[in-house]
Amino acid sequence: MESIGVLLVGRVMPYLEQELDKRFKLFRVWDYPNPAQLPSQHVAAIRAVVGSSSAGADAALIEALPKLEIVSSFSVGVDKIDQEKCREKGIRVTNTPDVLTDEVADLTIGLILALLRRICECDRYVRSGQWKHGNYKLTTKFSGKTVGIIGLGRIGQAIAKRAEGFQCPISYYSRTEKQDSKYKYYPSVVELASNCDILVVACALTEETHHIINREVINALGPKGYLINIGRGKHVDEPELVSALVEGRLGGAGLDVFENEPAVPEELFGLENVVLLPHVGSATVETRTAMADLVLGNLEAHFLGKPLLTPLV
Amino acid sequence: MAEEAYNSSSEMKGLPKVLVLGPPLSFSSLQPLYSHKFHFLKPHLSDLSLQHFLQIHHPPSIAAILCSPNYSVTAEVLRLLPSLRLLVTTSIGTDHIDLRECRRRGIQVTSAGAIFSEDVADMAVALLIDGMRKISAADRWLRTQNRHNTPWHLFPLGSKLSGKQVGIVGLGRIGMEVAKRLEPFGCIISYNSKHKKTTVSYPFYPTVVELATNCGVLVLCCELNEQTKHIINREVMLALGKGGFIVNIGRGGLIDEKELVKCLMEGEIGGAGLDVFENEPRVPQELFEMNNVVLSPHAAAITEESFMNMCEVAGGNLEAFFSNKPLISPVTLPE
């Protein structure tokens, strides 16, 4: 398969990059001065694109690669892939579901605890020597707080299961009510936000869920409410979020994703009621390796004419 | 003159006297709630030594002490109060109290009981996830290095928590709350305790070394006493191994701190999440340079919710005692 061209459009772990390089003819988008104009010999060879949460395949790229057969994303979210276009052209699309569900759910709980109990601030307090001059202030208890989840898919359910261990009542919003769910359903995000302490964004990014967290939702969550985003940055109207935090209209936010990664709004760096992470939801050696194996497995299956492991299209 | 001061203050109030030692953090919230029920004696507001302060306040009339967890209630202190019958500490831990002397003297002791268990268990899980997933390290990195636009894929990967073997040292109230929280993460729980618990199905290991050998994470939830001092020593840490993680929400003295620092520096263990230290608020400087430790200023029980409960339990125990009702959270004293 060494003659099969694979275009890597986003940064991935070294193991995956090395394996792709070993097994295929690997092209890296950042090696080109103008990624929009790839040399024609390379274009002719490229039959696969490997994307990530930060880069995928939009209509323009798909059009520019006439030999493209498959887009395999090193992520579960595929909001950066034009699935409709792929469907139209018979291009397969795969992602990495299930292998990262636990990882993202673990991080979500960690993010909630870090925010409510000010773990990062306390760590800074000790490292800067301030503890010698007095105790850190009172923080907010997590156990027993109501957790509202937007999107009760694999990740949403895994978060709920963990939060239940802390005696947290769980409520949720999703496109349709889940008949077999024991959790309380709210038909709108605003109602969910009005009735929970901690609001977690755990749904896929689509046209409908773009800026699902807007000013109205943020105000409903309120000065004692907390927002946790482990979905995509574009789920949140970021300037609205920033002004709410700066003005004290929202209690705090734990953010693993941002609208324009790697850019983070400057104002957030000065706040002690936010926890900021560089998109590490699935970032462990174990899980990224499993995700990488899924990408490689899907590509191999495709080029050997076998059924894909985790196809979306 | 001292007699007059005693007579006017005590008889005017006619309230039972409570000697406040420390004072506890929660005293400023507790005092207004209970000043109509108790006469609080406050040596911390005086320049006098405790002995001299007490001379003004007629020690034989003092039946109760309210103390903080960092005030050492030794036999000498207890000797100053011949009529002492109750000692109320605002902490769960009682290692600052000479419990044997209390037993010998027939002094009852109450602690914070179960009110902090949830907050402390929450902190244990918080430190564990933070350490494994590098949350504080990432937040710190983003607020400093990222401002120079370091690409995010260069931030080091963390370690998976789900499915890890977690060993709990001390399966009391707090240990059980920690276990309960980690089970839905797919963690496999085992424990070491003074005695095997017949009501619990988690695997029991008779020594901490055996527990450490079979686990990737240790969570210290036991009390500090003669048997548990430095229970985490080099042997245990080597048994835990290079990827191993230790969480301490008990007392700093449970770990041989010098050895811990050495093991971390040598890479003999993977990392640590510490809320307590041997000589608080002093923390070994070497830890400040490390990205595989997360440090907390003994804050496991310090939430708004716990604070309110702390006042209620301490005040409630004093009320119960002085009205001859059963104490809310009595501590069993050692032989």
Side-chain angles (χ1 to χ4, degrees):
Chain A
M1 284 191 235
E2 290 98 1
S3 61
I4 298 175
V6 174
L7 178 65
L8 188 54
V9 295
R11 294 291 191 168
V12 298
M13 73 187 300
Y15 162 68
L16 178 56
E17 193 177 325
Q18 280 152 24
E19 284 300 311
L20 287 170
D21 200 34
K22 252 195 275 184
R23 303 178 196 199
F24 304 99
K25 187 158 178 51
L26 186 62
F27 302 96
R28 300 166 182 77
V29 81
W30 53 88
D31 285 342
Y32 299 96
N34 185 0
Q37 291 177 331
L38 300 167
S40 49
Q41 322 96 282
H42 296 184
V43 163
I46 293 170
R47 293 166 63 187
V49 162
V50 171
S52 67
S53 59
S54 57
D58 58 9
L61 181 67
I62 294 166
E63 287 297 344
L65 300 170
K67 295 283 180 26
L68 185 62
E69 298 168 25
I70 179 169
V71 179
S72 186
S73 196
F74 182 63
S75 68
V76 67
V78 287
D79 43 284
K80 293 230 154 65
I81 298 173
D82 190 334
Q83 289 185 75
E84 257 317 299
K85 194 91 197 165
C86 288
R87 208 164 278 128
E88 207 187 292
K89 290 184 158 261
I91 295 168
R92 308 305 305 275
V93 177
T94 70
N95 64 344
T96 61
D98 297 315
V99 294
L100 48 58
T101 301
D102 285 335
E103 210 65 271
V104 178
D106 290 355
L107 184 81
T108 307
I109 302 295
L111 198 44
I112 295 173
L113 283 163
L115 179 60
L116 267 62
R117 298 297 300 270
R118 297 290 193 270
I119 302 295
C120 312
E121 286 297 310
C122 279
D123 181 272
R124 266 187 273 279
Y125 192 77
V126 175
R127 284 178 202 251
S128 63
Q130 289 174 79
W131 192 15
K132 295 208 185 84
H133 307 299
N135 288 310
Y136 191 75
K137 59 182 180 170
L138 299 177
T139 58
T140 303
K141 182 172 182 166
F142 171 44
S143 278
K145 291 287 191 304
T146 306
V147 175
I149 304 176
I150 300 174
L152 207 61
R154 282 172 296 241
I155 293 175
Q157 286 179 57
I159 294 168
K161 196 175 81 162
R162 283 154 175 76
E164 285 190 288
F166 294 80
Q167 306 295 305
C168 294
I170 310 290
S171 45
Y172 73 101
Y173 163 80
S174 63
R175 267 171 312 187
T176 52
E177 186 172 359
K178 312 239 174 219
Q179 291 312 319
D180 51 351
S181 174
K182 48 182 166 158
Y183 307 132
K184 184 162 170 60
Y185 174 72
Y186 285 96
S188 76
V189 181
V190 171
E191 280 172 84
L192 180 66
S194 307
N195 290 286
C196 71
D197 300 307
I198 301 161
L199 184 64
V200 180
V201 182
C203 57
L205 179 65
T206 62
E207 273 166 28
E208 294 83 47
T209 63
H210 180 262
H211 283 192
I212 198 171
I213 305 298
N214 54 23
R215 190 181 183 90
E216 199 191 353
V217 171
I218 292 169
N219 285 338
L221 201 43
K224 288 200 165 33
Y226 299 92
L227 176 71
I228 303 290
N229 191 5
I230 49 89
R232 286 290 180 267
K234 293 196 192 293
H235 277 127
V236 174
D237 182 338
E238 208 162 81
E240 274 301 333
L241 174 66
V242 172
S243 67
L245 286 165
V246 164
E247 291 164 23
R249 285 182 286 114
L250 180 65
L255 309 169
D256 187 39
V257 287
F258 302 85
E259 282 211 80
N260 298 299
E261 293 168 23
V264 174
E266 268 296 317
E267 299 93 318
L268 297 181
F269 291 134
L271 300 176
E272 55 87 36
N273 59 338
V274 299
V275 175
L276 309 169
L277 299 179
H279 204 150
V280 293
S282 62
T284 65
V285 175
E286 298 92 329
T287 292
R288 289 281 170 86
T289 304
M291 289 163 65
D293 288 339
L294 209 43
V295 169
L296 295 165
N298 274 303
L299 288 174
E300 213 166 69
H302 172 75
F303 290 114
L304 291 175
K306 295 203 181 108
L308 297 181
L309 305 176
T310 49
L312 282 172
V313 173
Chain B
M1 192 135 115
E3 273 306 296
E4 280 168 33
Y6 153 66
N7 284 326
S8 64
S9 65
S10 172
E11 262 144 50
M12 234 163 57
K13 291 191 178 192
L15 299 172
K17 291 184 188 175
V18 178
L19 178 66
V20 181
L21 299 176
L25 262 155
S26 50
F27 186 61
S28 52
S29 305
L30 198 152
Q31 193 182 209
L33 297 173
Y34 291 95
S35 55
H36 61 293
K37 295 199 166 156
F38 308 112
H39 179 186
F40 291 112
L41 303 175
K42 295 167 271 191
H44 61 277
L45 295 179
S46 152
D47 290 327
L48 301 171
S49 71
L50 181 61
Q51 217 159 342
H52 286 120
F53 176 88
L54 286 174
Q55 276 162 13
I56 307 173
H57 289 280
H58 195 67
S61 63
I62 301 171
I65 284 177
L66 171 68
C67 74
S68 75
N70 47 26
Y71 194 101
S72 216
V73 186
T74 59
E76 287 72 42
V77 170
L78 294 171
R79 212 167 291 141
L80 296 172
L81 299 160
S83 307
L84 186 66
R85 312 236 35 80
L86 174 72
L87 176 52
V88 175
T89 177
T90 54
S91 54
I92 301 175
T94 48
D95 48 286
H96 56 295
I97 299 169
D98 188 336
L99 296 175
R100 281 213 174 76
E101 183 67 9
C102 287
R103 191 190 168 91
R104 197 186 68 75
R105 289 264 312 266
I107 299 166
Q108 290 181 281
V109 179
T110 68
S111 70
I115 61 168
F116 299 152
S117 305
E118 291 181 334
D119 279 317
V120 176
D122 287 359
M123 172 64 84
V125 178
L127 293 175
L128 179 56
I129 305 178
D130 190 303
M132 305 280 285
R133 298 301 301 275
K134 301 189 187 313
I135 294 177
S136 286
D139 178 276
R140 180 164 63 239
W141 184 85
L142 210 53
R143 287 176 200 249
T144 53
Q145 271 157 283
N146 183 245
R147 285 159 115 163
H148 305 291
N149 288 312
T150 316
W152 285 7
H153 69 276
L154 292 180
F155 186 76
L157 296 175
S159 271
K160 189 172 170 132
L161 172 62
S162 291
K164 274 264 179 345
Q165 312 255 37
V166 174
I168 300 185
V169 181
L171 202 64
R173 262 187 303 242
I174 293 174
M176 283 300 295
E177 291 289 334
V178 173
K180 217 174 66 172
R181 280 155 177 72
L182 290 179
E183 277 197 276
F185 286 77
C187 291
I188 298 151
I189 311 289
S190 51
Y191 71 104
N192 164 262
S193 233
K194 217 166 26 181
H195 310 292
K196 185 167 196 264
K197 314 244 168 204
T198 50
T199 51
V200 148
S201 59
Y202 305 134
F204 169 79
Y205 288 95
T207 68
V208 182
V209 172
E210 282 174 81
L211 185 69
T213 306
N214 290 285
C215 291
V217 173
L218 287 180
V219 184
L220 310 184
C221 302
C222 56
E223 65 173 42
L224 178 63
N225 53 43
E226 279 158 25
Q227 292 81 42
T228 62
K229 178 144 174 94
H230 285 193
I231 199 172
I232 305 303
N233 54 23
R234 188 174 177 85
E235 194 193 356
V236 170
M237 288 188 263
L238 293 181
L240 185 62
K242 292 191 193 295
F245 197 85
I246 298 177
V247 173
N248 192 2
I249 45 84
R251 283 287 179 272
L254 294 172
I255 304 181
D256 179 341
E257 205 162 85
K258 283 203 175 67
E259 254 329 305
L260 174 69
V261 172
K262 212 156 160 269
C263 285
L264 283 164
M265 293 188 70
E266 293 166 6
E268 294 293 353
I269 58 167
L274 309 169
D275 185 46
V276 285
F277 303 85
E278 290 209 77
N279 296 299
E280 294 169 16
R282 285 200 299 278
V283 173
Q285 291 276 40
E286 297 92 328
L287 298 180
F288 296 161
E289 307 304 312
M290 298 181 192
N291 279 321
N292 58 341
V293 299
V294 49
L295 310 170
S296 175
H298 203 149
I302 315 297
T303 61
E304 281 159 0
E305 293 84 345
S306 269
F307 220 61
M308 293 191 288
N309 292 337
M310 213 193 293
C311 295
E312 281 167 22
V313 169
N317 274 304
L318 288 170
E319 279 184 310
F321 173 76
F322 285 113
S323 44
N324 286 313
K325 296 211 177 86
L327 298 174
I328 298 171
S329 46
V331 172
T332 312
L333 300 177
E335 306 282 313

